[in-house]
Amino acid sequence: MLNEVAEGVLVHESEFIQSNSVVVQGRDGVLLIDPGITGDEMAALANDLRELGQTVVAGFSTHPHWDHLLWHAELGAAPRYGTARCAASIQDLLSNADWKARIAVGLPPEYAEEIPMDLLGLITGLPAEAAQIPWDGPKVRIIEHQAHAPGHAALLIEERGVLVAGDMLSNILMPFLDLEAANPIEDYLATLGLLESVADDVDAVIPGHGSVGGAEQLRARFKQDRAYVQALRDGSDPDDPRVGPSATLDWLPDVHSWQLQRLAQREQNETPG
Protein backbone atom coordinates (compact mmCIF):
# COMPACT_ATOMS: atom_id res chain seq x y z
CA MET A 1 0.00 0.00 0.00
CA LEU A 2 1.27 3.43 -0.95
CA ASN A 3 0.88 6.23 1.60
CA GLU A 4 1.23 9.86 0.56
CA VAL A 5 3.51 11.74 2.96
CA ALA A 6 3.71 14.98 0.97
CA GLU A 7 2.26 16.23 -2.29
CA GLY A 8 3.35 13.76 -4.97
CA VAL A 9 5.60 11.79 -2.58
CA LEU A 10 4.42 8.31 -1.57
CA VAL A 11 5.95 5.57 0.56
CA HIS A 12 5.60 1.79 0.51
CA GLU A 13 6.72 0.07 3.73
CA SER A 14 8.09 -3.47 3.57
CA GLU A 15 7.66 -6.05 6.29
CA PHE A 16 11.48 -6.36 6.40
CA ILE A 17 12.76 -3.88 9.00
CA GLN A 18 10.14 -1.32 7.91
CA SER A 19 12.09 -0.74 4.68
CA ASN A 20 10.74 2.24 2.76
CA SER A 21 10.38 2.45 -1.00
CA VAL A 22 9.84 6.05 -2.08
CA VAL A 23 7.80 7.19 -5.09
CA VAL A 24 8.09 10.75 -6.40
CA GLN A 25 5.57 11.77 -9.02
CA GLY A 26 6.88 13.67 -12.04
CA ARG A 27 5.39 14.96 -15.27
CA ASP A 28 5.48 11.74 -17.26
CA GLY A 29 5.95 9.11 -14.56
CA VAL A 30 7.62 8.47 -11.23
CA LEU A 31 11.06 8.34 -9.70
CA LEU A 32 11.43 5.20 -7.58
CA ILE A 33 13.96 5.27 -4.75
CA ASP A 34 15.24 2.11 -3.01
CA PRO A 35 12.43 -0.32 -3.98
CA GLY A 36 12.10 -3.54 -2.02
CA ILE A 37 12.20 -5.94 -0.47
CA THR A 38 10.59 -9.17 -1.66
CA GLY A 39 9.54 -9.99 -5.21
CA ASP A 40 5.88 -10.00 -4.20
CA GLU A 41 6.20 -6.59 -2.54
CA MET A 42 7.84 -5.05 -5.59
CA ALA A 43 5.26 -6.63 -7.92
CA ALA A 44 2.51 -5.20 -5.70
CA LEU A 45 4.23 -1.81 -5.83
CA ALA A 46 4.31 -2.01 -9.64
CA ASN A 47 0.61 -2.88 -9.64
CA ASP A 48 -0.22 0.03 -7.33
CA LEU A 49 1.59 2.38 -9.72
CA ARG A 50 -0.30 0.97 -12.71
CA GLU A 51 -3.59 1.56 -10.90
CA LEU A 52 -2.51 5.17 -10.43
CA GLY A 53 -1.72 5.39 -14.15
CA GLN A 54 1.97 5.87 -13.39
CA THR A 55 5.06 4.31 -14.95
CA VAL A 56 8.56 4.29 -13.51
CA VAL A 57 10.76 6.67 -15.52
CA ALA A 58 13.83 6.65 -13.23
CA GLY A 59 15.24 4.81 -10.24
CA PHE A 60 17.80 5.71 -7.60
CA SER A 61 19.74 3.71 -5.01
CA THR A 62 20.84 5.73 -2.00
CA HIS A 63 23.81 3.46 -1.26
CA PRO A 64 25.43 0.13 -2.21
CA HIS A 65 23.84 -2.22 0.32
CA TRP A 66 21.79 -5.09 -1.10
CA ASP A 67 18.44 -3.95 0.29
CA HIS A 68 18.77 -0.61 -1.51
CA LEU A 69 19.82 -2.05 -4.87
CA LEU A 70 16.84 -4.23 -5.70
CA TRP A 71 14.55 -4.14 -8.74
CA HIS A 72 11.78 -6.16 -10.33
CA ALA A 73 10.97 -6.76 -14.00
CA GLU A 74 7.43 -5.45 -13.51
CA LEU A 75 8.86 -2.07 -12.54
CA GLY A 76 10.13 -1.71 -16.11
CA ALA A 77 13.49 -0.86 -17.63
CA ALA A 78 13.88 2.77 -16.61
CA PRO A 79 17.41 4.09 -16.03
CA ARG A 80 18.57 3.49 -12.47
CA TYR A 81 21.09 5.80 -10.83
CA GLY A 82 23.36 6.14 -7.84
CA THR A 83 26.33 8.30 -6.99
CA ALA A 84 29.58 7.50 -8.79
CA ARG A 85 31.06 5.96 -5.64
CA CYS A 86 27.93 3.93 -4.96
CA ALA A 87 27.90 2.54 -8.50
CA ALA A 88 31.62 1.78 -8.41
CA SER A 89 31.24 -0.08 -5.12
CA ILE A 90 28.47 -2.39 -6.34
CA GLN A 91 30.09 -2.88 -9.76
CA ASP A 92 33.22 -4.05 -7.98
CA LEU A 93 31.15 -6.64 -6.13
CA LEU A 94 29.23 -7.74 -9.22
CA SER A 95 32.50 -8.34 -11.05
CA ASN A 96 33.06 -11.42 -8.86
CA ALA A 97 31.68 -14.69 -10.20
CA ASP A 98 30.40 -15.59 -6.74
CA TRP A 99 28.69 -12.26 -6.01
CA LYS A 100 25.32 -13.86 -5.33
CA ALA A 101 26.86 -16.15 -2.72
CA ARG A 102 28.61 -13.18 -1.08
CA ILE A 103 25.34 -11.26 -0.80
CA ALA A 104 23.39 -14.34 0.31
CA VAL A 105 25.47 -14.48 3.50
CA GLY A 106 23.87 -11.23 4.66
CA LEU A 107 20.29 -11.94 3.61
CA PRO A 108 17.69 -12.49 6.33
CA PRO A 109 16.97 -16.23 6.23
CA GLU A 110 13.22 -15.76 6.58
CA TYR A 111 13.14 -13.71 3.36
CA ALA A 112 16.12 -15.06 1.42
CA GLU A 113 14.10 -17.17 -1.02
CA GLU A 114 11.76 -14.26 -1.75
CA ILE A 115 14.36 -11.65 -2.68
CA PRO A 116 14.99 -11.41 -6.45
CA MET A 117 18.65 -10.80 -7.22
CA ASP A 118 18.87 -10.93 -11.03
CA LEU A 119 18.45 -7.14 -11.41
CA LEU A 120 20.28 -6.20 -8.23
CA GLY A 121 22.74 -3.33 -8.50
CA LEU A 122 22.31 -2.53 -12.20
CA ILE A 123 22.72 1.19 -11.67
CA THR A 124 24.54 3.95 -13.53
CA GLY A 125 26.85 6.21 -11.57
CA LEU A 126 26.07 9.88 -11.97
CA PRO A 127 28.97 12.28 -12.57
CA ALA A 128 30.72 13.24 -9.34
CA GLU A 129 29.61 16.85 -9.77
CA ALA A 130 25.92 15.94 -10.30
CA ALA A 131 23.80 18.05 -7.95
CA GLN A 132 20.44 16.51 -8.75
CA ILE A 133 18.81 13.44 -10.27
CA PRO A 134 18.30 13.79 -14.05
CA TRP A 135 14.58 13.37 -14.58
CA ASP A 136 11.48 15.33 -15.58
CA GLY A 137 9.97 16.01 -12.20
CA PRO A 138 10.47 18.00 -8.98
CA LYS A 139 14.10 18.88 -8.36
CA VAL A 140 15.70 16.14 -6.26
CA ARG A 141 18.94 17.40 -4.77
CA ILE A 142 21.69 14.85 -4.13
CA ILE A 143 23.47 15.29 -0.80
CA GLU A 144 26.38 12.87 -0.99
CA HIS A 145 28.33 12.21 2.17
CA GLN A 146 30.73 9.78 3.86
CA ALA A 147 28.54 8.19 6.54
CA HIS A 148 27.28 4.58 6.63
CA ALA A 149 28.48 3.39 3.20
CA PRO A 150 30.61 4.48 0.22
CA GLY A 151 28.80 6.98 -1.96
CA HIS A 152 25.80 7.23 0.37
CA ALA A 153 23.38 9.98 -0.65
CA ALA A 154 20.45 11.63 1.02
CA LEU A 155 17.93 13.23 -1.33
CA LEU A 156 16.18 16.54 -0.72
CA ILE A 157 12.95 17.01 -2.67
CA GLU A 158 13.00 20.76 -2.23
CA GLU A 159 9.58 21.61 -3.67
CA ARG A 160 7.92 19.06 -1.39
CA GLY A 161 9.93 19.64 1.79
CA VAL A 162 10.95 15.98 1.98
CA LEU A 163 14.31 14.51 2.98
CA VAL A 164 14.91 10.92 1.85
CA ALA A 165 17.63 9.91 4.29
CA GLY A 166 18.75 6.47 3.15
CA ASP A 167 20.09 4.50 6.11
CA MET A 168 20.19 7.47 8.47
CA LEU A 169 17.81 9.27 10.83
CA SER A 170 15.78 6.17 11.70
CA ASN A 171 13.57 5.93 14.74
CA ILE A 172 14.16 2.16 15.01
CA LEU A 173 17.81 1.72 13.94
CA MET A 174 20.74 3.42 15.64
CA PRO A 175 23.53 4.77 13.39
CA PHE A 176 25.43 2.04 11.58
CA LEU A 177 28.92 3.37 10.89
CA ASP A 178 31.06 2.57 7.87
CA LEU A 179 33.78 0.85 9.86
CA GLU A 180 35.91 0.39 6.74
CA ALA A 181 36.27 4.16 6.37
CA ALA A 182 39.33 6.01 7.62
CA ASN A 183 37.37 8.19 10.07
CA PRO A 184 33.94 6.64 10.71
CA ILE A 185 33.07 8.67 13.82
CA GLU A 186 34.12 12.00 12.32
CA ASP A 187 32.41 11.17 9.02
CA TYR A 188 29.12 10.40 10.72
CA LEU A 189 29.12 13.50 12.91
CA ALA A 190 30.02 15.67 9.91
CA THR A 191 27.17 14.16 7.90
CA LEU A 192 24.67 14.81 10.67
CA GLY A 193 25.79 18.44 10.57
CA LEU A 194 25.47 18.52 6.78
CA LEU A 195 21.94 17.15 6.80
CA GLU A 196 20.96 19.34 9.73
CA SER A 197 21.93 22.36 7.64
CA VAL A 198 18.93 21.74 5.36
CA ALA A 199 16.50 20.82 8.17
CA ASP A 200 14.73 24.17 8.08
CA ASP A 201 13.48 23.27 4.60
CA VAL A 202 12.21 19.82 5.63
CA ASP A 203 8.66 18.97 6.68
CA ALA A 204 9.02 15.18 6.42
CA VAL A 205 11.96 12.79 6.70
CA ILE A 206 11.81 9.32 5.17
CA PRO A 207 14.43 6.95 6.59
CA GLY A 208 15.46 3.81 4.77
CA HIS A 209 13.99 1.83 7.68
CA GLY A 210 11.46 3.02 10.19
CA SER A 211 8.69 5.58 10.43
CA VAL A 212 8.31 8.75 8.43
CA GLY A 213 8.82 11.72 10.73
CA GLY A 214 7.78 15.36 10.75
CA ALA A 215 9.96 18.40 11.36
CA GLU A 216 10.01 18.03 15.16
CA GLN A 217 10.81 14.33 14.93
CA LEU A 218 13.60 15.09 12.49
CA ARG A 219 15.30 17.40 14.97
CA ALA A 220 14.86 14.82 17.75
CA ARG A 221 16.50 12.19 15.54
CA PHE A 222 19.48 14.44 14.88
CA LYS A 223 19.93 14.86 18.63
CA GLN A 224 19.52 11.14 19.35
CA ASP A 225 21.88 10.02 16.57
CA ARG A 226 24.53 12.55 17.54
CA ALA A 227 24.38 11.39 21.17
CA TYR A 228 24.73 7.77 20.05
CA VAL A 229 27.77 8.43 17.85
CA GLN A 230 29.42 10.54 20.56
CA ALA A 231 28.89 7.65 23.00
CA LEU A 232 30.61 5.31 20.54
CA ARG A 233 33.46 7.79 20.27
CA ASP A 234 33.78 7.85 24.07
CA GLY A 235 33.51 4.05 24.39
CA SER A 236 30.41 4.26 26.56
CA ASP A 237 26.92 2.79 26.44
CA PRO A 238 24.40 5.36 25.23
CA ASP A 239 21.04 6.01 26.80
CA ASP A 240 19.31 4.96 23.59
CA PRO A 241 16.17 2.78 23.56
CA ARG A 242 17.07 1.49 20.09
CA VAL A 243 19.89 -0.58 21.60
CA GLY A 244 18.42 -1.18 25.05
CA PRO A 245 16.27 -3.99 26.48
CA SER A 246 13.21 -2.56 24.72
CA ALA A 247 14.87 -2.37 21.26
CA THR A 248 12.42 -2.84 18.39
CA LEU A 249 14.74 -5.49 16.93
CA ASP A 250 16.35 -7.91 19.38
CA TRP A 251 19.61 -8.12 17.40
CA LEU A 252 20.38 -4.39 17.58
CA PRO A 253 22.09 -4.54 21.01
CA ASP A 254 24.48 -7.11 19.56
CA VAL A 255 25.26 -4.84 16.60
CA HIS A 256 25.88 -2.00 19.01
CA SER A 257 28.32 -4.14 21.01
CA TRP A 258 30.04 -5.17 17.79
CA GLN A 259 30.47 -1.53 16.73
CA LEU A 260 31.95 -0.66 20.11
CA GLN A 261 34.35 -3.61 19.86
CA ARG A 262 35.45 -2.77 16.32
CA LEU A 263 36.09 0.86 17.21
CA ALA A 264 38.10 -0.16 20.27
CA GLN A 265 40.18 -2.51 18.11
CA ARG A 266 40.82 0.26 15.60
CA GLU A 267 41.97 2.60 18.34
CA GLN A 268 44.25 -0.06 19.78
CA ASN A 269 45.76 -0.77 16.37
CA GLU A 270 46.32 2.93 15.70
CA THR A 271 47.96 3.59 19.08
CA PRO A 272 51.77 3.44 18.83
CA GLY A 273 53.18 0.48 20.74
Side-chain angles (χ1 to χ4, degrees), residues 23 31 43 49 63 100 119 126 128 146 153 159 170 196-197 221-222 234 236-237:
V23 172
L31 166 68
L49 291 173
H63 61 287
K100 285 189 178 181
L119 299 175
L126 294 172
Q146 304 302 321
E159 298 172 34
S170 171
E196 201 164 21
S197 72
R221 292 181 192 186
F222 279 122
D234 300 337
S236 60
D237 280 323

Side-chain angles (χ1 to χ4, degrees), residues 27 84 102 106 148:
R27 294 174 184 84
R102 295 188 186 198
H148 184 66

Side-chain angles (χ1 to χ4, degrees), residues 57-191:
V57 296
F60 191 88
S61 291
T62 56
H63 61 287
H65 290 164
W66 69 265
D67 53 328
H68 297 262
L69 294 164
L70 299 169
W71 202 256
H72 193 284
E74 290 197 28
L75 295 171
R80 298 159 56 190
Y81 303 110
T83 65
R85 290 183 68 217
C86 173
S89 178
I90 186 58
Q91 286 163 8
D92 181 59
L93 175 62
L94 296 178
S95 68
N96 295 281
D98 65 343
W99 69 267
K100 285 189 178 181
R102 295 188 186 198
I103 290 178
V105 172
L107 297 179
E110 67 271 30
Y111 292 102
E113 297 299 320
E114 303 174 50
I115 298 170
M117 299 178 67
D118 290 344
L119 299 175
L120 182 146
L122 303 182
I123 63 174
T124 298
L126 294 172
E129 67 275 9
Q132 62 190 72
I133 295 176
W135 82 301
D136 190 15
K139 178 180 178 182
V140 181
R141 178 180 163 194
I142 300 169
I143 307 176
E144 185 175 355
H145 53 79
Q146 304 302 321
H148 184 66
H152 196 296
L155 302 173
L156 179 62
I157 310 168
E158 297 179 332
E159 298 172 34
R160 306 292 184 253
V162 175
L163 179 66
V164 181
D167 273 0
M168 297 187 68
L169 301 172
S170 171
N171 64 312
I172 63 168
L173 301 181
M174 75 291 189
F176 283 41
L177 276 60
D178 180 2
L179 294 171
E180 301 302 319
N183 300 293
I185 294 285
E186 294 82 352
D187 287 346
Y188 213 102
L189 292 174
T191 296

Side-chain angles (χ1 to χ4, degrees), residues 228-241:
Y228 176 84
V229 176
Q230 289 172 340
L232 283 183
R233 179 193 61 194
D234 300 337
S236 60
D237 280 323
D239 180 18
D240 192 319

